[in-house]
């Protein structure tokens, strides 16, 4: 599927086929593709909790204000961002850049302090924004990649973050920008026309706001 077509056809699906499973390996392929999303300093601060088990989906639905799609979709991804990815990922990323010929060891040593300076202390608001921003780019990539594999999705912000963390053993420092329900549109369901979009002139500011 062409990228333009995927973007034009993507919809947030409310009615998933609850009896259809995603074939083995398909979700992994989607996640591998989404993992190519860009990220600041290539730090890739995303973590994904893949929830497929019936009981776990029921538990997640309870954390998500009882939204039926959480239980009806074949799988739900809890997309999280880790503010500590600066500390935890910087060295392997820089080592790979040296290996791939992007930089020499001395350039890597000069680069290393930069994300620490840019994003501040691990518990700062800037770090949480860094984690949420990059994990959200990953999440959008998941939704586009899913289209290419014949899957539909639905992003969700309607959940109790503390409850999701407690139920699924997610460390408190992580941020959860969204859940993504993934599966197949229920047979016989006709979608209403897509919701309105603001026209280009409504949000495009040329040269200056
Ligand atoms: C971050 C985010 C959070 C959302 N949260 C919810 C949600 O909790 N429940 C819901 O029904 N839809 C949710 N939506 C879906 C939006 O309502 C939907 O994307 C929007 O109406 C546009 O529809 P479309 O995605 O089909 O184009 C969310 C979308 C995004 C991007």
């Amino acid at each position: 599927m062409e990228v333009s077509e995927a973007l034009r056809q993507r919809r947030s699906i409310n009615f998933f086929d609850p009896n259809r499973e995603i074939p083995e390996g398909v979700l992994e392929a989607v996640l591998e593709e989404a993992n190519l999303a860009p990220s600041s300093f290539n730090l890739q601060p995303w973590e994904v909790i893949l929830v497929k088990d019936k009981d776990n989906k029921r538990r997640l639905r309870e954390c998500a204000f009882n939204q039926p799609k959480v239980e009806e979709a074949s799988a739900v991804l809890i997309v999280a961002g880790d503010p500590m990815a600066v500390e935890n990922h910087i060295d392997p990323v820089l080592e790979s850049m040296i290996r791939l010929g992007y930089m020499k060891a001395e350039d890597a040593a000069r680069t290393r302090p930069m994300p620490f300076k840019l994003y501040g202390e691990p518990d700062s608001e800037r770090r949480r924004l860094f984690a949420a921003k990059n994990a959200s780019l990953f999440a959008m990539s998941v939704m586009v990649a899913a289209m290419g594999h014949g899957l539909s999705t639905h992003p969700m912000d309607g959940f109790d973050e503390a409850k999701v963390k407690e139920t699924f053993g997610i460390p408190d420092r992580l941020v959860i920008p969204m859940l993504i329900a993934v599966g197949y549109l229920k047979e016989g369901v006709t979608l209403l026309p897509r919701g309105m979009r603001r026209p280009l002139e409504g949000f495009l500011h040329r040269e200056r706001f």
Side-chain angles (χ1 to χ4, degrees):
M1 181 184 267
E2 292 288 332
V3 179
S4 301
E5 201 188 337
L7 290 170
R8 286 176 190 280
Q9 286 190 11
R10 184 211 56 80
R11 298 288 302 275
S12 295
I13 297 303
N14 270 310
F15 304 99
F16 286 95
D17 184 341
N19 301 314
R20 205 163 153 198
E21 283 189 21
I22 301 170
E24 195 65 37
V26 172
L27 264 181
E28 287 74 8
V30 167
L31 293 172
E32 294 272 9
E33 288 164 16
N35 197 34
L36 302 174
S39 60
S40 172
F41 290 92
N42 198 18
L43 285 167
Q44 306 157 55
W46 41 80
E47 301 287 334
V48 175
I49 297 89
L50 166 59
V51 182
K52 281 166 76 178
D53 177 80
K54 259 187 173 356
D55 290 337
N56 284 335
K57 282 195 292 182
R58 185 182 41 74
R59 286 186 192 102
L60 188 53
R61 176 177 174 170
E62 283 166 18
C63 302
F65 310 130
N66 202 28
Q67 297 192 59
K69 51 189 166 277
V70 176
E71 210 173 344
E72 291 166 3
S74 311
V76 185
L77 307 175
I78 304 171
V79 178
D82 189 354
M84 288 288 285
V86 177
E87 283 77 2
N88 296 339
H89 299 176
I90 187 72
D91 289 323
V93 165
L94 288 175
E95 279 155 26
S96 85
M97 291 184 93
I98 296 169
R99 225 175 23 250
L100 293 169
Y102 283 84
M103 51 173 70
K104 296 196 167 68
E106 43 285 20
D107 304 318
R110 261 198 306 276
T111 304
R112 197 179 185 285
M114 290 179 185
F116 292 87
K117 213 170 149 201
L118 188 61
Y119 297 120
E121 294 299 315
D123 60 353
S124 66
E125 190 56 26
R126 265 194 291 166
R127 277 291 187 104
R128 289 176 63 78
L129 267 174
F130 150 79
K133 192 190 296 191
N134 288 281
S136 299
L137 288 174
F138 170 82
M140 186 66 227
S141 302
V142 166
M143 292 185 269
V144 177
M147 293 293 296
H149 290 270
L151 291 162
S152 292
T153 56
H154 197 128
M156 281 166 280
D157 216 1
F159 58 90
D160 179 333
E161 184 162 337
K163 205 167 161 185
V164 171
K165 285 181 180 170
E166 192 192 324
T167 310
F168 292 90
I170 302 166
D172 200 37
R173 69 169 191 278
L174 271 65
V175 289
I176 306 179
M178 72 194 81
L179 312 178
I180 306 178
V182 190
Y184 299 96
L185 180 65
K186 199 173 180 175
E187 227 172 282
V189 171
T190 311
L191 299 180
L192 290 170
R194 185 196 283 282
M196 65 75 84
R197 287 301 195 265
R198 295 159 64 210
L200 205 63
E201 312 83 68
F203 65 85
L204 173 63
H205 309 273
R206 297 185 192 271
E207 314 302 339
R208 228 180 118 77
F209 194 95

